[in-house]
Amino acid sequence: MKGIWFIRSLVFAVGQAVSLVLFSVLGQLTRPFSFKTRYSFMHYWARFCVAWVRITCGVQYRVHGAENIDTSQTGLILSRHESAWETLAFQKIFPRHAYVLKRELLKIPFFGWGMSLLNPIAIDRSAGRQALNQMLNDGVERLHHQDWVVVFPEGTRMPAGELGKINIGGAMLASKANVPVYLVAHNAGSYWPKNSFIKKPGVIDVYISQPLNMNEMKTAEIIAQTEQWFKQAL
């Protein structure tokens, strides 16, 4: 069985790599245009990968709570981070958005070139308070310019079934921006594990909360609610 999984994962990896080179190179032609135009082009790579991993590796997904998403206004997504899968699938599930990510990712050949087109909030984690202030300022700017923002409050990918510390940055951004906040949990790490080449067939369940009303919550309450939502999913 593991041999079959390896072969299928290898086929997926080849298709993902070839398509990444294609999209990241052609995507450079969209740099003179708006973020909307760049995103409209680059997000098709993410959609391709989600479809390709389903075809080659049998990794499917279903969304619980999609009806909670209000597309009439921008929203902040505080999500569980277990895999590379969600960074791809969210571009199909949610409206146009920017990710908060570590700056080093933009230095990766091809991947970083393509990611830079998506107007991410790239922070230097070693900068401490300065990095937090940048995330807050850039996050509010994105949200007030009709772009959603995705924050992984655990700060890094966590193994399936393991809860990391909920950092304060996402909750502070939620309070400062005063936009609806969606808590998102999933089990992508069970099928596309952290730092694993092999993808296992199965169905990823994505759970989306009803939007939190920031007029009624304080930062500590947002953190507690996020932790509770993640624990329920685990």
Side-chain angles (χ1 to χ4, degrees), residues 134-151:
Q134 179 198 345
M135 187 197 74
L136 295 177
N137 294 333
D138 291 355
V140 169
E141 179 186 12
R142 302 289 199 285
L143 289 163
H144 290 176
H145 283 81
Q146 306 306 309
D147 295 315
W148 290 50
V149 172
V150 177
V151 177

Side-chain angles (χ1 to χ4, degrees), residues 2-20 45 48-49 51-58 192 197-199:
K2 288 186 177 180
I4 295 175
W5 289 351
F6 178 83
I7 293 173
R8 297 177 71 177
S9 298
L10 178 62
V11 174
F12 167 74
V14 171
Q16 184 187 38
V18 171
S19 62
L20 172 60
W45 178 70
F48 165 78
C49 290
W52 188 234
V53 78
R54 172 178 56 81
I55 294 169
T56 57
C57 301
W192 186 329
F197 178 78
I198 294 178
K199 281 72 178 172

Side-chain angles (χ1 to χ4, degrees), residues 4-229:
I4 295 175
W5 289 351
F6 178 83
I7 293 173
R8 297 177 71 177
S9 298
L10 178 62
V11 174
F12 167 74
V14 171
Q16 184 187 38
V18 171
S19 62
L20 172 60
V21 172
L22 177 65
F23 272 88
S24 62
V25 172
L26 292 180
Q28 304 309 308
L29 300 177
T30 68
R31 282 196 178 277
F33 301 99
S34 67
F35 172 45
K36 180 179 180 180
T37 299
R38 299 196 304 271
Y39 189 95
S40 296
F41 176 78
M42 287 302 301
H43 95 290
Y44 281 109
W45 178 70
R47 295 173 73 99
F48 165 78
C49 290
V50 172
W52 188 234
V53 78
R54 172 178 56 81
I55 294 169
T56 57
C57 301
V59 178
Q60 306 179 58
Y61 74 96
R62 57 193 167 206
V63 179
H64 309 269
E67 68 279 2
N68 295 330
I69 302 174
D70 181 4
T71 58
S72 67
Q73 54 184 325
T74 54
L76 172 64
I77 301 165
L78 301 182
S79 173
R80 172 83 177 158
H81 194 19
E82 290 188 2
S83 166
W85 179 86
E86 59 266 19
T87 63
L88 301 169
F90 282 8
Q91 295 183 51
K92 186 174 182 180
I93 298 172
F94 292 101
R96 186 181 71 233
H97 55 267
Y99 285 99
V100 176
L101 48 78
K102 54 185 179 182
R103 186 177 299 171
E104 304 92 274
L105 292 176
L106 301 183
K107 299 178 182 179
I108 300 175
F110 297 108
F111 176 82
W113 305 347
M115 181 59 73
S116 66
L117 295 169
L118 299 179
N119 204 24
I121 301 172
I123 61 173
D124 178 3
R125 287 183 175 178
S126 64
R129 186 71 186 184
Q130 183 179 351
L132 176 60
N133 289 335
Q134 179 198 345
M135 187 197 74
L136 295 177
N137 294 333
D138 291 355
V140 169
E141 179 186 12
R142 302 289 199 285
L143 289 163
H144 290 176
H145 283 81
Q146 306 306 309
D147 295 315
W148 290 50
V149 172
V150 177
V151 177
F152 298 117
E154 291 168 284
T156 187
R157 284 181 292 176
M158 299 298 300
E162 182 178 330
L163 181 66
K165 177 185 177 183
I166 306 300
N167 296 314
I168 195 172
M172 290 181 66
L173 177 57
S175 297
K176 187 173 182 178
N178 194 26
V179 297
V181 174
Y182 297 85
L183 307 179
V184 182
H186 56 81
N187 60 336
S190 297
Y191 306 102
W192 186 329
K194 176 183 178 180
N195 299 328
S196 175
F197 178 78
I198 294 178
K199 281 72 178 172
K200 302 176 183 178
V203 180
I204 296 171
D205 286 296
V206 180
Y207 299 92
I208 303 173
S209 74
Q210 293 185 350
L212 305 183
N213 187 343
M214 290 302 96
N215 293 324
E216 301 174 356
M217 300 185 71
K218 297 180 179 179
T219 301
E221 293 174 316
I222 299 170
I223 293 175
Q225 189 88 4
T226 302
E227 184 175 7
Q228 180 182 7
W229 185 262

